[in-house]
Amino acid sequence: MRLILSAFAALFLLIGCQQEVDHEYNEVSIKDEESNVLVTSADFEKASIQEDSDRLRVKVDFKDSKLPEEMTEQYLNEQVYIYLGDKEIASPIIRKVTNNDSIQIIGDYTKEEAEQFVSVINQ
């Protein structure tokens, strides 16, 4: 009986771990320090990953070309928080005001997180 219970416990543990690994995200957002949402997936047109020799960048194009300028101007030299679902994946500081319809996010995210971020936007 103990063996059966142990087997079921192990199975439930493995199923729980597998669900965490396979979790698919359907929303990305950028928030300020007070967790106010600045932009969401709905604000983005498309995204791509750009790899340099020493870092990973995500380039996002906005549907409204005024939005990136307004956001970067308002939060210049401040930290913003990049979320994949409810998981914070990066916390870059806005270093310059952009006057076009895209921004580049250089953050402390993994390649897998960057790929998921881009996938959600491009779906």
Side-chain angles (χ1 to χ4, degrees):
M1 185 65 151
R2 281 188 187 164
L3 183 59
I4 292 172
L5 289 176
S6 296
F8 276 122
L11 180 62
F12 287 129
L13 179 63
L14 288 173
I15 290 171
C17 290
Q18 185 65 34
Q19 287 175 346
E20 182 65 30
V21 170
D22 290 340
H23 183 72
E24 289 193 26
Y25 299 98
N26 59 7
E27 181 69 27
V28 297
S29 59
I30 300 177
K31 299 179 181 183
D32 66 11
E33 286 185 345
E34 287 83 36
S35 293
N36 297 312
V37 177
L38 307 178
V39 293
T40 67
S41 304
D43 298 307
F44 301 125
E45 183 71 32
K46 64 180 179 178
S48 61
I49 296 174
Q50 301 170 336
E51 292 186 64
D52 288 335
S53 59
D54 61 337
R55 62 183 160 192
L56 197 59
R57 291 182 286 166
V58 173
K59 179 182 181 239
V60 290
D61 297 333
F62 286 77
K63 292 177 181 174
D64 179 353
S65 62
K66 294 177 187 174
L67 190 54
E69 182 176 6
E70 292 169 357
M71 183 181 70
T72 56
E73 190 172 80
Q74 182 176 355
Y75 292 94
L76 184 63
N77 296 318
E78 292 185 28
Q79 195 165 23
V80 292
Y81 303 88
I82 313 299
Y83 284 85
L84 184 57
D86 59 357
K87 178 183 177 187
E88 181 184 318
I89 62 168
S91 52
I93 295 173
I94 296 177
R95 298 287 184 201
K96 66 179 183 176
V97 175
T98 185
N99 57 1
N100 57 33
D101 65 349
S102 65
I103 61 172
Q104 291 186 18
I105 304 168
I106 300 170
D108 45 350
Y109 40 78
T110 66
K111 184 170 184 172
E112 180 183 56
E113 290 168 335
E115 288 170 348
Q116 289 175 329
F117 184 91
V118 167
S119 176
V120 168
I121 292 170
N122 291 338
Q123 56 181 326

